[in-house]
Amino acid sequence: MLQLPADEVLVAGRWRRGAGARTETVDPATGRVLTAVHAASVEDVDEAAEGAAAASADPAWRELPAHLRARLLHRIAELIEHEAEALSALQTADTGKSRTETRALVHSAAGTFRYTAAALETAEDAVTPSRGAYVTVSLHEPIGVVGAITPWNSPIASDAQKLAPALAAGNAVLLKPAEWTPLVALALGRLVTRALAEAGLPAGLLSVLPGRGSVIGDAIVRHPRVGKVTFTGGTTTGRTIAHAAAEKVMPVSLELGGKSPTVVFEDADLEQALAGVMFGIFSSSGQSCVAGSRLFVARGRYEEFVDELTARTRKLRVGPGTDPGTQVAPLVHHRHRDAVAGYVDLAREEGARVRCGGGAPEGEEYEKGAYYLPTVLDGLPNSARVCQEEIFGPVLVALPFDDEDDLVAQANDSVYGLACGLWTRDHRTAWRVARRIEAGTVWINTYKQFSIATPFGGTKDSGLGREKGREGIRAYQRQKSLYWGVGDAPLPWATATATATATATASAASIDG
């Protein structure tokens, strides 16, 4: 039996019905209403921020040794793992994703908390080289209150990638899940508050505040108590957040959109490349910021490769995320499915050839769901809108390239710079092109693989800053320098002055004598 959260939001550690609008959450596979949640209100945000500020300043939290904060993170990981099947089922119902994917996302979230705990326990501040009679130390301290705004395409993993390092750094967090998919974040909030209660720590360290981004997200970003915002989502929203943050002179981390190229060179292992390209775009039904949505194939292999890719794409099984045989699950919402379909219609108007897909699947089992067939397009220049704009669905655009310079020019001809995939047997080519491509992550003979230990982020319109890795905790802290005088005099020049005065006095005494 699917466990649905109660109609409550978490405000400064207290569960209660939100004071905002009532919002229905819908199963994308069936169109059935799962439940309704009353969103948070702007007043809820204000109360949550004030409670977070008090909790973050509480000595019980602010002065808690790193190894005890790490223990809290380990406990959260244990609770996530214990509830893994329930969380996976809830995420599949809320987002439409396959159970294979949602299980992986839940365990990824648990792994994020565990890795962050280990990174926290082994993090070191530095005694820096001094240039005088003092010791200099570089310290890192909490920001205080962090606003974390997460997307609908992988809720629990994205929540963990922000919540774990922000807590590890000693902050309190206002977590705002996406309006369409709030259920897993609310369930995660129950686990975190349980761990906080067991440890005797301030309950106000976490609030979970679902609602519209333009209302609740905006209230979090602009609240004077919030000292940093971390956001994953669309570039347009990210730019709005950056403007608001600039007004406050507040740091932000922005993980935004992408239009990532995947490249098949003349010498690529075709079986490996076919599998990788298909996984890169059609896994998650293309609803991934790093989806390999632009395919560049060496002209000499282009027709052969795209023909075989098309044939295999037609065989992919479309179905509900609860079916173990499903390879392409429904999109997150009917409105999003319509937006994806609109892009394919635009491609047709621009002269694209639809190699396969290009519409919703037919059949009674698909009628009420937000399904869209995996689609391969070609026949367009790289300047076409569907080659330049993020579609965020199972739509791949294929283009040929003539040589390395042509490839690099086309691949970099984008406002985005998030990810790239290269398929080649030549390690020299791989190294050379990987360095020339403007992207935060480059995969070579693989795609869409992640490690919490490896920093992630983009360039250009794909964002600012990095998440993950050992330095991920530092992104939620402020650096402070301490100078500790250890000499006999409070200032170096005071020593010199005292010496000069003593010398002059001694000389005068000698003359008088």
Side-chain angles (χ1 to χ4, degrees):
M1 184 70 178
L2 182 64
Q3 301 175 27
L4 294 172
D7 181 13
E8 293 179 323
V9 301
L10 180 61
V11 180
R14 291 187 294 276
W15 289 97
R16 69 183 192 214
R17 175 172 286 188
R22 181 179 181 272
T23 303
E24 292 181 342
T25 63
V26 177
D27 181 347
T30 64
R32 180 176 63 88
V33 175
L34 291 169
T35 189
V37 174
H38 280 80
S41 67
V42 172
E43 292 73 22
D44 290 331
V45 172
D46 186 61
E47 183 178 336
E50 294 297 333
S56 64
D58 189 326
W61 176 247
R62 188 173 180 84
E63 298 174 11
L64 191 70
H67 71 282
L68 295 182
R69 286 206 305 275
R71 181 184 294 178
L72 171 70
L73 301 180
H74 278 299
R75 178 57 177 152
I76 295 170
E78 289 175 357
L79 293 172
I80 292 171
E81 289 171 341
H82 185 264
E83 298 293 334
E85 282 301 296
L87 291 168
S88 168
L90 183 63
Q91 188 165 12
T92 290
D94 205 20
T95 66
K97 289 178 175 290
S98 72
R99 286 299 299 275
T100 298
E101 183 175 357
T102 57
R103 286 189 180 101
L105 290 170
V106 170
H107 287 289
S108 171
T112 294
F113 277 96
R114 290 199 184 282
Y115 172 84
T116 307
L120 173 60
E121 284 208 82
T122 56
E124 296 179 345
D125 284 317
V127 177
T128 56
S130 67
R131 303 183 70 178
Y134 44 82
V135 175
T136 52
V137 181
S138 175
L139 302 176
H140 293 84
E141 297 179 338
I143 289 171
V145 181
V146 170
I149 303 174
T150 55
W152 49 255
N153 59 315
S154 53
I156 197 167
S158 295
D159 297 340
Q161 286 170 21
K162 300 181 187 305
L163 185 55
L167 289 175
N171 300 290
V173 181
L174 309 183
L175 175 63
K176 196 209 85 67
E179 181 184 10
W180 284 346
T181 57
L183 301 185
V184 175
L186 291 167
L188 177 61
R190 295 278 181 184
L191 302 183
V192 175
T193 53
R194 176 180 168 183
L196 290 170
E198 290 174 354
L201 294 170
L205 289 169
L206 177 65
S207 294
V208 182
L209 305 165
R212 292 177 61 86
S214 59
V215 178
I216 303 306
D218 185 70
I220 290 172
V221 172
R222 297 181 188 278
H223 199 283
R225 290 288 194 180
V226 174
K228 170 166 181 161
V229 166
T230 173
F231 169 77
T232 297
T235 297
T236 299
T237 303
R239 189 173 282 113
T240 300
I241 290 172
H243 279 293
E247 291 294 323
K248 293 173 62 178
V249 195
M250 176 181 70
V252 290
S253 296
L254 302 175
E255 199 265 275
L256 307 176
K259 194 68 178 178
S260 301
T262 52
V263 182
V264 179
F265 288 94
E266 191 88 28
D267 66 339
D269 181 315
L270 292 191
E271 282 297 319
Q272 187 183 52
L274 284 163
V277 168
M278 291 175 70
F279 179 77
I281 182 60
F282 298 129
S283 63
S284 306
S285 302
Q287 300 170 121
S288 171
C289 56
V290 298
S293 52
R294 288 188 297 157
L295 170 64
F296 294 96
V297 184
R299 193 174 295 275
R301 307 298 295 274
Y302 181 82
E303 290 298 334
E304 171 194 7
F305 188 87
V306 176
D307 285 348
E308 182 61 24
L309 174 71
T310 301
R312 297 189 185 195
T313 299
R314 288 196 182 102
K315 296 177 182 178
L316 291 175
R317 183 172 178 181
V318 178
T322 52
D323 184 342
T326 289
Q327 294 169 299
V328 181
L331 300 182
V332 69
H333 198 280
H334 289 75
R335 293 212 311 264
H336 182 58
R337 190 270 309 275
D338 294 345
V340 171
Y343 266 109
V344 176
D345 291 342
L346 173 64
R348 289 189 175 98
E349 293 173 9
E350 291 184 312
R353 175 170 49 170
V354 180
R355 290 288 194 115
C356 64
E362 297 180 353
E364 184 179 350
E365 67 271 33
Y366 301 116
E367 286 180 358
K368 296 183 179 180
Y371 294 97
Y372 200 82
L373 289 168
T375 299
V376 178
L377 308 172
D378 74 349
L380 291 173
N382 189 48
S383 58
R385 282 183 60 188
V386 292
C387 298
Q388 291 293 318
E389 298 178 19
E390 186 176 40
I391 298 174
F392 223 68
V395 180
L396 177 67
V397 184
L399 305 100
F401 70 91
D402 293 312
D403 54 36
E404 186 177 307
D405 288 338
D406 177 40
L407 163 67
V408 171
Q410 290 194 74
N412 288 341
D413 182 18
S414 170
V415 298
Y416 297 110
L418 190 57
C420 173
L422 305 177
W423 303 90
T424 177
R425 290 185 172 96
D426 188 334
H427 68 277
R428 295 178 183 84
T429 297
W431 175 263
R432 191 170 57 247
V433 175
R435 297 300 302 272
R436 294 180 69 187
I437 294 291
E438 296 168 347
T441 296
V442 178
W443 288 288
I444 299 168
N445 293 328
T446 187
Y447 202 85
K448 209 177 173 186
Q449 303 303 300
F450 299 99
S451 167
I452 186 59
T454 305
F456 178 80
T459 64
K460 301 193 285 188
D461 281 9
S462 289
L464 295 170
R466 294 292 181 268
E467 291 187 327
K468 305 183 181 183
R470 293 179 63 87
E471 290 301 310
I473 297 172
R474 298 300 190 213
Y476 295 92
Q477 293 178 316
R478 294 190 178 102
Q479 187 275 341
K480 177 182 285 185
S481 298
L482 297 185
Y483 288 72
W484 193 329
V486 294
D488 293 332
L491 300 169
W493 55 261
T495 302
T497 302
T499 300
T501 300
T503 301
T505 301
S507 297
S510 175
I511 293 170
D512 291 342

